Amino acid sequence: MKAYVGDELRDLTAEEVAQVEAGRTADLAAYVNQRRWELETGGIEVAGAPIRTDEQSQAKIQGAFQLAQQDPDVEIDWEAQPGQWVTLDAPTMIGIGLAAARHVQRCFSAARQVGGMVVAGELTTREQVDAAFAAALEG
């Protein structure tokens, strides 16, 4: 591998090549974590309705999910989107809670798979990471 060192284009030593590749791998590993977070917190649709999955919404969904499990007659007033209120029965809230939890788990599972591919040297660009996430989340 050749690279400019100062003003001189020269062959890199094996150690220098390893350092460049380790830096590239570390950058892509950080990108994998960033993409997982973006996908995780980007929201989902449940029965055609948008559901927020940012970290604060995940916590509130879990609380309402637990309440719905404990009280099958509960009616939950829920702000589905800013200013958009709905009343949910227990089975609907349980469905939303399960969908959100499964979404988060799929994002982490995809990140584990994609991160392993980065470490193995199978993915070397952000575009490849994005494509691998898309494939992992489809399956």
Side-chain angles (χ1 to χ4, degrees):
M1 171 185 282
K2 290 186 180 269
Y4 280 97
V5 178
D7 292 335
E8 177 187 355
L9 178 64
R10 67 172 177 81
D11 288 319
L12 297 178
T13 65
E15 182 178 314
E16 290 170 326
V17 169
Q19 289 174 348
V20 168
E21 290 179 1
R24 184 178 307 139
T25 299
D27 288 346
L28 276 179
Y31 182 67
V32 167
N33 289 331
Q34 173 190 330
R35 285 298 294 146
R36 191 254 332 134
W37 181 84
E38 290 169 352
L39 293 164
E40 173 195 343
T41 62
I44 58 173
E45 280 194 14
V46 177
I51 304 296
R52 293 178 285 182
T53 59
D54 57 89
E55 291 165 340
Q56 187 175 19
S57 295
Q58 287 179 41
K60 290 178 181 180
I61 288 169
Q62 267 314 308
F65 172 81
Q66 290 174 1
L67 174 61
Q69 285 184 312
Q70 296 300 315
D71 183 355
D73 297 322
V74 72
E75 289 188 345
I76 297 171
D77 289 325
W78 192 260
E79 189 175 23
Q81 294 296 317
Q84 181 185 8
W85 289 90
V86 295
T87 300
L88 304 173
D89 61 14
T92 301
M93 191 66 239
I94 289 171
I96 290 170
L98 289 172
R102 288 178 179 137
H103 166 73
V104 170
Q105 183 55 53
R106 274 194 312 274
C107 291
F108 275 92
S109 294
R112 181 180 186 180
Q113 178 183 344
V114 173
M117 295 168 75
V118 166
V119 170
E122 298 171 27
L123 305 176
T124 58
T125 68
R126 288 179 173 214
E127 292 78 14
Q128 290 173 331
V129 166
D130 290 341
F133 261 111
L137 290 172
E138 281 180 11

